[in-house]
Amino acid sequence: MPLSFKDQLHARIDSNLTGLELCLAVSNLLDANPAWVNECRELLRSWLLEMKKKEASDIDFGAPGSNNKIWLRIFGNKKPVDAFGEYSLLETTTIIASWLSPMQKQKLFDNLVLDFSAAVDNGDTNIRYRGTCYLDRGYLCVNFRRINDFVFTMEQLRMPKPICDRMNLRVEKMGLILVTGITGSGKSTTLDAIIDMNNRDNHGHIVIIANPIEYVHPSKLCLVRHREVGVDVLSFSHGAIEALRQDPDIIMVGEMRDPNTISTVLEITDSGHKAFTTLHTSSAIDSIHRIVAEFPPEEQDRVRNRLADVLCVIVSQKLIPSVDNRLVMTREILSVDASVQAAIRNKNIGEIYQMMVEGKRYGMCTLEQDLHELVRRGVITNKCAMNYANNKKRMSQLLAML
C-alpha cells in the first residue's frame, strides 16, 4: 500500500526536480518530519525481513527502471513481487533516503553512488545486508543483498582437504589465496568459510578490510578485526598497509580493484603474511592474466615473478541452477606448486589447465571436471553443464563419457 503521506509528499516536492536536487529536497522534508522517517524505515524493514522468508538474495527498487515495482532475486531469477505493491518514483526516493545517515547522504551527493552495510533486528538475531545506492535517469534506486546469518563449513562447500590445509594458517603461514568469480557467484560465502575455519583452528589475529562489512565474525580462537572502507579506513590499499603495523597473521582484502591494491596485496604476502582476496574473473588462468595485465608492459615481468612466488591457491567459482530449481556452487581449483610457478614465470600459463586436469590428488580440478561430477551425481543437467563450462569442447568430451 502507498505511504500514508504520499499526497503531502507530492504536493510539497516540485515535480520538475530530479537528481541531487530531488534527493536534497526529500532529505530536508524527512528531517522536518520524523514520523515519515519511521514509517519509511518500518516499511523497508518489512521488505528486508520478507527477503529471508522467501529465500531471496537481493531486493531492488526505485527509479524508472523498476516500473514502480519491488524486485526480488530468488534462486538466480529476478522478478517483481506484486504482493509488495507499487510505489511512485518520489515514494521510493523517500524510502531510500530515510534509511541513510547524514554522512551517508553526503557521500551519495559527492560520489553519486554509495556502498553501505545495514542490519535489521529479527528478534534474537540481526540480519545483515550489503546496500548499493545509485541514480537511474535522475532518480534514486537501491540494491540490498542479504548476507547469510550463518557460515558454511569447508566440507559443505566441497572443498578438498589438501586445499583446506593450504588455506589454514596452522599448515601454511603465508601466501596468497584468491577466490574469483562474477558478481553473485558466492565469493563472500567462500571467504567467510575460510575465515571461520582459521578462526576456529588457530590462535592469531585476522584483519578483514571490506566495502562494506558483510558477515561479522566473532573472535573465537583468533582476534578478528573488521575495517570498513570509507568508515574505518580510506581504501583497500590503505587498510592493507596499515594492517601490517597491527600484528596480523591473516589479512583479508575484500577486492583487488586496481594496480595499487594488487601491489599492496603482493607486498603483504612478500612480508610473510597470509592474504585472502577476490577478483572478478571466471577461471584460474584468467585470474593470473588479469593480475599481470593490470600493470604496464615494462612492469609485467616483475609482477609475474612476484605472483609466482606468493600465489598458493585460486578458487574460481560460479553459482548455477540445479535440477530442483535452486543454486549450487561449481568451481575450478588451482593449487600452485613448482610446476605452476615455472609456467607463470615463463609465460606458459596455457599449460596450467592440463596441470589442473592431472592434479586431483592435490585437490585441483578444472571447472569442466567439477561440472561433470555434478552431472554424474544428478545435481545438474547436461545442458546446464554445457551452458556454464569455460571450455565447451572439453565439457562435451567429458559428458560423452557418462
Side-chain angles (χ1 to χ4, degrees), residues 34-174:
W36 292 8
V37 174
N38 292 337
E39 181 179 339
C40 289
R41 291 177 68 89
E42 187 56 36
L43 177 62
L44 180 51
R45 179 180 176 276
S46 70
W47 292 344
L48 294 175
L49 290 176
E50 191 66 19
M51 284 179 67
K52 183 174 176 62
K53 295 179 183 177
K54 295 182 178 294
E55 298 186 73
S57 63
D58 295 78
I59 184 171
D60 290 79
F61 62 91
S66 294
N67 292 331
N68 298 332
K69 301 286 186 69
I70 312 303
W71 296 63
L72 293 182
R73 185 182 294 279
I74 302 176
F75 302 133
N77 297 311
K78 183 167 287 191
K79 299 178 181 179
V81 180
D82 293 337
F84 282 179
E86 296 190 6
Y87 295 84
S88 69
L89 296 176
L90 189 51
E91 285 181 291
T92 52
T93 296
T94 305
I95 292 167
I96 296 167
S98 73
W99 196 265
L100 304 179
S101 69
M103 183 177 293
Q104 288 173 330
K105 290 176 187 174
Q106 189 59 54
K107 287 182 181 178
L108 174 63
F109 297 158
D110 291 342
N111 303 317
L112 300 182
V113 66
L114 174 70
D115 294 326
F116 61 99
S117 56
V120 174
D121 184 9
N122 188 31
D124 55 343
T125 60
N126 276 343
I127 305 175
R128 292 185 59 81
Y129 302 83
R130 182 181 73 203
T132 299
C133 185
Y134 55 102
L135 293 169
D136 165 14
R137 291 163 58 191
Y139 290 91
L140 210 55
C141 53
V142 72
N143 166 272
F144 284 93
R145 171 159 294 178
R146 182 170 59 88
I147 308 303
N148 287 331
D149 52 5
F150 63 93
V151 178
F152 286 94
T153 65
M154 299 295 273
E155 292 76 17
Q156 288 173 320
L157 296 181
R158 301 188 298 120
M159 204 66 71
K161 187 178 186 306
I163 300 301
C164 292
D165 287 344
R166 297 208 68 182
M167 293 176 172
N168 198 317
L169 184 67
R170 175 171 47 82
V171 179
E172 290 191 10
K173 299 297 184 184
M174 62 185 72

Side-chain angles (χ1 to χ4, degrees), residues 26 40 105 116 118 159 208 212 217-218 225 271-272 276 278 281 293-294 328-329:
V26 167
C40 289
K105 290 176 187 174
F116 61 99
M159 204 66 71
I208 298 171
H217 293 265
R225 302 288 191 189
S271 64
F276 303 101
T278 70
T281 51
E294 284 289 330
V328 62
M329 188 184 85

